Amino acid sequence: MKLTRILVIPVLLLLAGAVSAQNNAGKTDDVGRVALTPFIAENSNIPTASSNLMRSKMRAAVTRMGLGTSACGRFILTLNADVVSREITPTAPPMVATVLSPTFYIGDLSDGTLFASLTLPAVKGVGQNEEKSYMQALKNINLNNPDFAKFVGDGKEKIIAYYNTHIDFIIKEADALSGKGEHERALALLMGVPTVCADAHARAMKHVGTVYQRKIDQESAEALARATGAWAASPDATGATEAGEWLAGVHPLSSSAPGAAKLQSEMKSRVKELADREWTEQVKQNREEAALAQTAMQAAKEIAAAEANRPVYYTTVLSWW
């Protein structure tokens, strides 16, 4: 399978977290598990009509083996199926018989590193036309066998080794993303370090709190500035209502929390009739809920899960498949 320069549509750089061990993850969420993205290249031999079929087969196979799957990810499981033979059967009506040689690959889409490959025994499909015979042959590929399980296991070990040896770079990349205001991607990157990589995972989780604090500080500072501006522009009931809506976005654990409390107190003293208005209650409710429920780790996990299906575009040269 020869891939030249391609632009991948939905491919994120990782994702997700759980606290259970990889081999016992079962049907828990994929955050924290080694994850593979089932992927079919546009210039592979797989017909477009068969792409969804094969992605589903691959997703089911890796899930059975305890790995996570993501809609978008840098570590991919893909295949190409070369046509060994194709002939018209001497039947009435005549049918097309296609024999395929399927080869699977696990690799890093971001830099073109191949981790593992496996060619399975040839499969045959018969259909009314070439496309249907090809699809039938793909359906006959057996992914529930020891060879495929070993292949996926080898790929998993290579991915684990990647995280263990690249944790310093992962943390630096997360810091760089956070420094550009891309806190969600930074948290997703850190939360994506699998729990089976014990030391690397511990270091990544330790850094989650730092990145999360930057996120809430930045967002809360922006919200407080908006609230302050709204109140300065209109120091009356209308301005207080608008400012209150912005204050609801100030996280109680952020560095802007004291300033938000001070502004709210000022507005209450100047516009006393607003003390029991709905916006005041909403601000109070939001703050109580955030303080009780959203620890940094919980919030980071939610953010990472939300980021799992956001596309990140890789333009890379894959010369090895």
Side-chain angles (χ1 to χ4, degrees):
M1 176 179 169
K2 270 287 190 188
L3 296 189
T4 52
R5 199 166 182 81
I6 58 172
L7 183 64
V8 181
I9 304 288
V11 180
L12 177 79
L13 14 79
L14 32 73
L15 266 279
V19 293
S20 55
Q22 179 80 29
N23 294 334
N24 299 319
K27 293 186 178 180
T28 61
D29 59 64
D30 283 341
V31 180
R33 290 200 269 170
V34 173
L36 289 174
T37 295
F39 175 73
I40 303 295
E42 291 183 0
N43 59 340
S44 71
N45 291 332
I46 309 298
T48 302
S50 302
S51 295
N52 288 337
L53 165 70
M54 290 312 304
R55 279 193 291 266
S56 295
K57 283 175 70 80
M58 291 188 291
R59 185 176 298 110
V62 298
T63 299
R64 283 197 305 270
M65 297 171 196
L67 277 75
T69 61
S70 62
C72 311
R74 66 180 294 175
F75 301 114
I76 63 172
L77 168 64
T78 188
L79 84 154
N80 197 35
D82 294 323
V83 176
V84 176
S85 66
R86 180 173 284 144
E87 60 183 13
I88 306 298
T89 63
T91 58
M95 305 287 279
V96 178
T98 299
V99 177
L100 301 178
S101 176
T103 301
F104 290 83
Y105 307 86
I106 294 175
D108 185 346
L109 191 60
S110 70
D111 62 14
T113 301
L114 176 63
F115 291 150
S117 64
L118 172 69
T119 298
L120 290 178
V123 289
K124 182 178 182 179
V126 179
Q128 296 175 335
N129 53 45
E130 290 184 4
E131 184 174 307
K132 289 184 178 180
S133 68
Y134 198 106
M135 179 176 288
Q136 185 59 50
L138 291 176
K139 289 181 180 179
N140 290 332
I141 296 175
N142 178 22
L143 300 186
N144 190 19
N145 64 72
D147 289 340
F148 190 80
K150 182 180 183 303
F151 155 71
V152 172
D154 290 344
K156 171 186 169 181
E157 292 305 315
K158 295 289 182 61
I159 294 172
I160 290 174
Y162 167 86
Y163 281 113
N164 284 333
T165 58
H166 287 73
I167 185 60
D168 288 336
F169 298 100
I170 291 171
I171 291 175
K172 287 180 181 179
E173 183 178 354
D175 280 336
L177 289 169
S178 181
K180 294 187 295 184
E182 299 181 50
H183 307 295
E184 290 81 3
R185 285 185 61 192
L187 289 170
L189 186 63
L190 294 169
M191 294 296 294
V193 178
T195 55
V196 291
C197 307
D199 292 339
H201 178 77
R203 291 182 60 190
M205 294 308 100
K206 185 177 180 180
H207 210 64
V208 162
T210 300
V211 174
Y212 183 70
Q213 190 65 47
R214 290 176 192 155
K215 171 181 165 61
I216 62 174
D217 283 348
Q218 178 182 333
E219 294 176 348
S220 297
E222 293 172 356
L224 178 57
R226 295 273 192 168
T228 302
W231 176 244
S234 182
D236 53 23
T238 300
T241 299
E242 181 182 352
E245 292 173 352
W246 285 111
L247 285 179
V250 177
H251 197 286
L253 301 180
S254 72
S255 58
S256 296
K262 181 179 179 181
L263 178 60
Q264 185 175 353
S265 177
E266 177 185 337
M267 291 190 299
K268 281 185 178 182
S269 65
R270 295 187 61 180
V271 191
K272 293 182 180 180
E273 64 270 23
L274 293 181
D276 296 321
R277 286 182 65 94
E278 181 178 353
W279 68 264
T280 304
E281 292 304 315
Q282 186 61 51
V283 169
K284 180 181 178 183
Q285 179 181 339
N286 288 352
R287 288 170 176 272
E288 289 176 347
E289 289 178 354
L292 291 174
Q294 284 205 312
T295 65
M297 194 61 67
Q298 288 171 327
K301 182 177 178 180
E302 293 171 5
I303 292 167
E307 280 291 294
N309 293 316
R310 288 173 60 88
V312 170
Y313 297 90
Y314 289 121
T315 301
T316 187
V317 176
L318 303 180
S319 59
W320 30 268
W321 296 354

